[in-house]
Amino acid sequence: MVRSTPLPLRIASRVFLVAVAVFMLGPLAVVVGAAFTTSRFLSFPPTGFSLQWFAEALSDATYIAPFLFSLQVAVATAAATAVLGTLFALGIARHSIPGSGVLQAIAMSPLTMPSIIFAIAMLQTVSQVLGGSASWILVLAHVIVTVPYVIRTVLGVIARSDSFTEEAARTMGARWWQRYWHVLLPICRPGIVAGAFLAFIVSFDDAVLALFLRTPQFETLPLAIYGQLEFSASPTVAAVSTMSMALTAISILAIEKIVGLGKVFS
Amino acid sequence: MADLEILDVRKTFGDIEVLKGIDVHAPSGSFVSLLGASGCGKSTLLRCIAGLEAVNSGTISVGGEDVTGLAPEKRRLSMMFQSYALLPHMNVLENVRFPLRMRGKQHGTKTAQRELAVHALEQVQMDHLASRMPRQLSGGQQQRVALARAIVGDPRLLLLDEPLSNLDARLREDMQVELVSLQKRLGLTTIFVTHDQDEALSMSDQVILMRGGVVEQAGTPEELYARPATSFAADFLGAANLLSVTSDGVRRARLGSAVVPTPTEFSGDVNLMIRQEDLKVNNAEGLDSTVPAVVTARVFRGSELLLVLDAAGQEIRAVAPVSTAAEPGTEVTLSWNSRQSRVLAK
Amino acid sequence: MNKSRTEPWLLVLPVMALLVIAFVIPVASSLIASFTSTGSPGFTLANFSDFFESSVHLTASARTLRMAFIQTIASILIAVPLAYIMSRLSARARVVMMIATILPLMTSVVIRTFGWVILMGPSGPLARIPGFLELSNSHQGLLGTELGVNIAMVQVLVPFAVLSVLGVINGIDVRLQEASRTMGASFLRNFWHVVLPLALPGIVSGATLCFALSISSFITPNLIGGAQLPVIGAFIYQDATVNGDLPFAAAQAMLMLMAVLITIAATNRLASSRMK
């Protein structure tokens, strides 16, 4: 790599990086900061330091039920997506199916579809066919929008692996189910896990599909926060948001450890 | 171990016929090389033997059993891949134990399988790295593990697909010697695919030279080197001069203004093959053929000289002692024994 | 041998079936629904004529498109140099910047917007910057202004743009850049003549993605812009859930989809003509 970048440009690019990082992370930091305030009103920088709003959030039914519901939806989505996406990636990568490029493009298309359009389409169909939404409908919608992530991460792992391992396993006497169990799935595992984490985050944080497909009985955590924001934002909401962000951050670090962020996101 | 018998095997990919009726016999315990340039069908033939490609017609038998229609996992052969194809999630020992595990009961308990795997690793001096993961090994070490995995559990046939091509020159020579001595020690019938004629000549009991989906010539390395059947074989197997000559009477050929005797009778235009090392410069003692030539280039090779010469407008290469006075432009005589030359159709 | 021909189809079948049932059919059926009306049976263009006759909807459409345009340009202007600098960082610094990009991307849009609400409010930290209140709506800070929505949306969009540009820039052969540098191109000329043209496909796809995401967003515009600055997404949401007029919501969604598709087609054509 050429290192002979002129000094003024080097300084300018450092300043630029810091400015962008502040711009990108600032709003998140503000929410975290506001959660530790001692005042009853939202303020930043926080006045004093207290954990009372976390305690409040953890004992408030307004957030506990939505949190548990979001968790269930996200776990169900991640599990279903991991299985389906892995099967699809294996089918595309290991065999020369005619038109596999087209199949892959179709499977990735939910990524480019604006989610509000998919949301209205889902709501419209569901209310026509079933008369209304249900929590499994939300999981189904989340599976559709997250399956591309798993396909991408698993295909990435397969592309970087030795393409002869399966044939080698055949010559060593492995039957088809042994090849899946002992060779293909272990090789794909980092991609499957990273994809499942991504699916979990996307599902857990989704607000658009959840807004359209919500049912009176169940509310997701982002909707609970959204409702509070429209009504009146309090330090408790900041505390809930902070905990939700912590979950996201842990998942991202897990993905970075397992396969590396650069490989998943480009 | 068992012998391999291939009869009239044909294979097409789409409209392209890659194997056009191949016959091969590899006796039990022999080391047979499939030699040829890329695209000659040698790798496809190996994959057909392994069962990874289905043949269109013909039969493949191992130890007298027809395996033509069998899936690769049921053939009880072993194959070593160019990329080694080690399983990245298993350590060295588990990789080597894998074929025993897959074939199940016949290789006994887990402990017994481990002992066999350790024994195979000992054969390639890798037993001390048994608990490493493949990614922690160098290329040469990975290759030894792949070899151990291929010889474990007495396979009927050992198939090697250009296994040495990823190694650097030095390591490669060591492995050639080691591979042959291992093969002889274990008595494994081995089919070895390579594009490197030196490798084929130095390692094999038998060389099968392939070209365009057919067997060009098969025989021992000595036979192929000394008596190539065609100009292609002569050219492919080591440094041969192919001189274009015309008939000039009985067992005589005209090369420019010179007339030289030939070992066999022929008519019309042919190639006269003379190996580089059979040519003598300015020394006709005891030799019956001589032509004048001019040195065009001189390459110092340490123990000898490689001379590029021009004889009647044709390029000839000869190996000469370092002491030979042969600066470019020097006029010399080239001599050889006609019995060491061969008449080959063009 | 026959098994190997059906096996791959069995593997891709579940996803394909699911996509047809829960993606293709719903989108197609909402396209059909947009030509129906709750009032009268049969095929009708009423939804579309209602839309184009409503000045509220037309104003909101213009606002949505205008803001999407500004936000896309701003996001690309930040993302291209950012991606270029990131591609030249040490591995460690790159991971840090990668997290700075992806953490916001993966954080719920509701929470991110919440942060901006705190920042932009009349008593928020930004209000302490001299001149801030004069620049903004003095009673609400930046809340309720298009500038506020644009700033918050750019923060939402930049990660998408960075990732699409980074994907292409990482694919550019480093030796090509070194070659251009050894041939005497300065740092900036190298960026302008080598990196930028080669990164153009990534820039185009990033811009298209930003535009699509921007015109379909409604949560951030709602929380920051409020009821005074409605966008089309907000109308779709209202008509679908509050007013219960699904066909009208579907018709607006289809118009939005049309806008996205036209943008994709136009930018692709522009990019391919530039690359010739």
Side-chain angles (χ1 to χ4, degrees):
Chain A
M1 174 63 38
V2 181
R3 277 263 163 255
S4 56
T5 310
L7 186 66
L9 270 171
R10 225 157 45 209
I11 294 170
S13 65
R14 289 294 131 141
V15 170
F16 179 73
L17 282 186
V18 172
V20 169
V22 167
F23 176 64
M24 296 307 296
L25 297 175
L28 308 188
V30 164
V31 173
V32 174
F36 290 97
T37 188
T38 46
S39 125
R40 285 185 52 231
F41 304 100
L42 265 180
S43 63
F44 188 91
T47 53
F49 178 86
S50 123
L51 293 173
Q52 60 173 310
W53 306 114
F54 288 92
E56 186 126 317
L58 289 173
S59 59
D60 190 341
T62 323
Y63 302 109
I64 291 171
F67 171 77
L68 291 176
F69 179 64
S70 278
L71 204 60
Q72 284 168 17
V73 169
V75 168
T77 300
T81 301
V83 173
L84 294 167
T86 304
L87 292 181
F88 184 87
L90 285 174
I92 290 281
R94 291 167 46 246
H95 308 275
S96 43
I97 314 185
S100 64
V102 176
L103 289 184
Q104 200 183 329
I106 295 172
M108 300 306 262
S109 60
L111 270 191
T112 41
M113 174 69 83
S115 51
I116 191 173
I117 297 173
F118 175 51
I120 181 84
M122 226 23 201
L123 175 62
Q124 197 269 327
T125 307
V126 161
S127 48
Q128 212 165 49
V129 179
L130 304 171
S133 188
S135 29
W136 68 268
I137 295 288
L138 184 59
V139 173
L140 180 64
H142 282 178
V143 169
I144 295 286
V145 294
T146 55
V147 102
Y149 293 103
V150 175
I151 292 174
R152 190 192 282 170
T153 52
V154 174
L155 281 179
V157 173
I158 293 176
R160 274 175 272 126
S161 70
D162 184 336
S163 55
F164 289 104
T165 41
E166 199 198 350
E167 285 190 341
R170 290 197 82 175
T171 63
M172 290 186 277
R175 308 291 169 86
W176 71 267
W177 52 271
Q178 292 174 310
R179 297 200 292 275
Y180 275 96
W181 190 249
H182 293 296
V183 181
L184 293 169
L185 290 178
I187 287 175
C188 293
R189 188 163 50 208
I192 301 172
V193 174
F197 266 112
L198 274 178
F200 176 87
I201 303 175
V202 170
S203 169
F204 190 82
D205 286 340
D206 162 69
V208 177
L209 287 164
L211 267 176
F212 279 81
L213 299 175
R214 70 171 146 195
T215 57
Q217 305 93 313
F218 297 107
E219 192 178 37
T220 68
L221 189 61
L223 291 198
I225 299 172
Y226 185 62
Q228 290 296 312
L229 290 187
E230 279 191 317
F231 175 60
S232 73
S234 66
T236 317
V237 189
V240 172
S241 302
T242 301
M243 290 188 274
S244 164
M245 266 189 278
L247 196 60
T248 306
I250 290 167
S251 304
I252 289 174
L253 289 176
I255 295 169
E256 164 66 20
K257 275 272 171 288
I258 297 165
V259 282
L261 289 174
K263 281 168 187 154
V264 176
F265 285 98
S266 46
Chain B
M1 84 205 79
D3 70 326
L4 168 72
E5 182 86 57
I6 297 175
L7 285 176
D8 197 29
V9 158
R10 285 165 195 279
K11 171 72 187 170
T12 54
F13 288 117
D15 295 335
I16 303 158
E17 195 169 23
V18 185
L19 299 177
K20 302 169 181 170
I22 301 276
D23 297 301
V24 170
H25 178 70
S28 183
S30 65
F31 191 111
V32 176
S33 290
L34 302 177
L35 173 67
S38 65
C40 71
K42 58 186 192 301
S43 289
T44 306
L45 181 58
L46 195 76
R47 290 174 60 82
C48 287
I49 299 169
L52 297 170
E53 303 287 352
V55 301
N56 293 74
S57 66
T59 58
I60 297 171
S61 316
V62 177
E65 180 204 355
D66 183 352
V67 299
T68 317
L70 278 186
E73 56 266 32
K74 295 183 181 150
R75 292 194 180 190
R76 291 192 290 120
L77 316 173
S78 75
M79 179 162 171
M80 184 174 156
F81 290 72
Q82 199 174 354
S83 59
Y84 314 142
L86 296 179
L87 300 168
H89 55 286
M90 293 181 187
N91 69 18
V92 165
L93 186 68
E94 288 306 303
N95 259 287
V96 177
R97 187 169 81 94
F98 190 75
L100 306 176
R101 232 172 118 192
M102 291 302 108
R103 300 209 164 98
K105 294 193 181 69
Q106 70 196 69
H107 294 291
T109 61
K110 194 169 174 179
T111 324
Q113 291 178 0
R114 288 215 166 129
E115 274 168 22
L116 278 173
V118 169
H119 182 68
L121 283 168
E122 281 166 0
Q123 300 286 325
V124 297
Q125 291 101 49
M126 284 294 294
D127 45 316
H128 62 297
L129 297 175
S131 55
R132 293 276 181 92
M133 296 304 276
R135 64 170 176 277
Q136 300 170 311
L137 302 179
S138 71
Q141 291 171 329
Q142 290 187 12
Q143 190 206 37
R144 284 165 183 271
V145 175
L147 184 59
R149 194 174 67 173
I151 61 172
V152 77
D154 288 323
R156 297 196 289 178
L157 210 57
L158 174 61
L159 307 176
L160 304 172
D161 188 5
E162 307 224 10
L164 308 181
S165 63
N166 288 337
L167 300 180
D168 59 53
R170 185 66 178 277
L171 200 53
R172 189 167 172 168
E173 235 167 68
D174 293 347
M175 275 310 284
Q176 287 177 6
V177 175
E178 204 175 320
L179 189 56
V180 172
S181 71
L182 179 70
Q183 182 263 339
K184 292 287 175 252
R185 196 162 68 235
L186 302 176
L188 283 169
T189 314
T190 302
I191 312 296
F192 180 83
V193 162
T194 181
H195 63 270
D196 182 325
Q197 71 280 4
D198 290 337
E199 216 164 78
L201 290 176
S202 62
M203 298 173 77
S204 320
D205 298 318
Q206 205 191 137
V207 176
I208 313 240
L209 177 64
M210 291 180 66
R211 180 195 191 189
V214 294
V215 174
E216 181 91 358
Q217 189 177 2
T220 63
E222 292 79 7
E223 277 168 5
L224 255 74
Y225 191 78
R227 293 189 292 282
T230 62
S231 296
F232 174 81
D235 196 35
F236 202 89
L237 288 156
N241 290 297
L242 290 171
L243 300 176
S244 178
V245 298
T246 49
S247 172
D248 189 61
V250 179
R251 290 196 173 198
R252 290 198 322 169
R254 175 169 292 280
L255 175 63
S257 59
V259 174
V260 293
T262 60
T264 49
E265 219 169 292
F266 68 98
S267 61
D269 293 350
V270 294
N271 281 329
L272 190 64
M273 181 208 89
I274 311 157
R275 297 263 174 218
Q276 289 176 7
E277 63 274 22
D278 293 337
L279 286 164
K280 295 277 181 289
V281 177
N282 290 337
N283 177 7
E285 207 182 311
L287 304 174
D288 59 1
S289 315
T290 297
V291 295
V294 178
V295 178
T296 55
R298 174 183 180 275
V299 180
F300 179 64
R301 277 182 170 174
S303 62
E304 59 190 26
L305 289 180
L306 171 69
L307 298 178
V308 184
L309 308 109
D310 180 292
Q314 300 195 54
E315 189 184 283
I316 299 187
R317 287 167 184 241
V319 179
V322 179
S323 58
T324 311
E327 293 308 312
T330 317
E331 287 185 15
V332 297
T333 58
L334 283 176
S335 308
W336 67 91
N337 188 336
S338 64
R339 272 169 313 186
Q340 286 170 330
S341 66
R342 276 180 77 75
V343 171
L344 299 169
K346 277 195 170 176
Chain C
M1 287 294 131
N2 210 0
K3 184 172 66 80
S4 70
R5 238 167 275 158
T6 51
E7 189 186 332
W9 291 108
L10 288 177
L11 290 171
V12 301
L13 187 71
V15 166
M16 280 298 142
L18 207 61
L19 275 170
V20 169
I21 295 168
F23 186 69
V24 178
I25 291 179
V27 172
S29 95
S30 91
L31 176 65
I32 295 168
S34 68
F35 292 103
T36 63
S37 166
T38 43
S40 60
F43 175 88
T44 171
L45 287 172
N47 295 322
F48 296 96
S49 59
D50 283 355
F51 181 87
F52 286 108
E53 279 161 19
S54 153
S55 65
V56 181
H57 284 89
L58 289 180
T59 317
S61 300
R63 179 184 300 118
T64 308
L65 290 172
R66 180 176 63 241
M67 294 202 300
F69 190 71
I70 294 168
Q71 290 159 16
T72 302
I73 301 280
S75 303
I76 290 296
L77 286 179
I78 294 173
V80 172
L82 180 59
Y84 180 56
I85 297 170
M86 275 172 78
S87 75
R88 300 166 61 102
L89 287 177
S90 66
R92 206 199 184 108
R94 185 159 34 197
V95 169
V96 171
M97 283 314 289
M98 212 54 194
I99 289 176
T101 317
I102 286 166
L103 187 61
L105 174 69
M106 291 279 113
T107 302
S108 181
V109 74
V110 173
I111 296 173
R112 273 192 280 177
T113 310
F114 179 23
W116 284 115
V117 170
I118 300 174
L119 276 168
M120 290 175 176
S123 57
L126 290 182
R128 285 174 215 168
I129 299 170
F132 172 81
L133 288 178
E134 287 69 35
L135 188 79
S136 56
N137 179 333
S138 53
H139 300 298
Q140 298 179 288
L142 277 177
L143 300 177
T145 66
E146 279 194 23
L147 179 63
V149 177
N150 285 337
I151 290 173
M153 277 304 293
V154 167
Q155 193 245 0
V156 173
L157 299 176
V158 160
F160 292 97
V162 170
L163 292 173
S164 14
V165 179
L166 200 58
V168 184
I169 286 190
N170 281 339
I172 298 176
D173 196 338
V174 175
R175 281 166 300 179
L176 205 61
Q177 300 187 39
E178 288 180 335
S180 106
R181 294 295 298 275
T182 57
M183 286 184 281
S186 72
F187 177 86
L188 285 177
R189 285 169 71 98
N190 170 48
F191 178 74
W192 190 253
H193 292 289
V194 179
V195 177
L196 214 51
L198 289 172
L200 196 60
I203 297 172
V204 168
S205 64
T208 319
L209 185 60
C210 286
F211 188 80
L213 289 168
S214 175
I215 65 169
S216 61
S217 67
F218 70 100
I219 289 177
T220 304
N222 240 19
L223 288 175
I224 299 211
Q228 307 100 301
L229 296 169
V231 290
I232 290 299
F235 284 135
I236 295 178
Y237 174 60
Q238 282 239 318
D239 287 325
T241 58
V242 183
N243 304 341
D245 191 351
L246 276 170
F248 189 45
Q252 294 174 76
M254 288 307 132
L255 287 172
M256 184 184 277
L257 186 58
M258 285 281 288
V260 171
L261 293 177
I262 289 170
T263 317
I264 291 174
T267 47
N268 280 352
R269 169 159 296 191
L270 195 71
S272 62
S273 72
R274 277 292 298 278
M275 272 180 272
K276 267 174 202 156

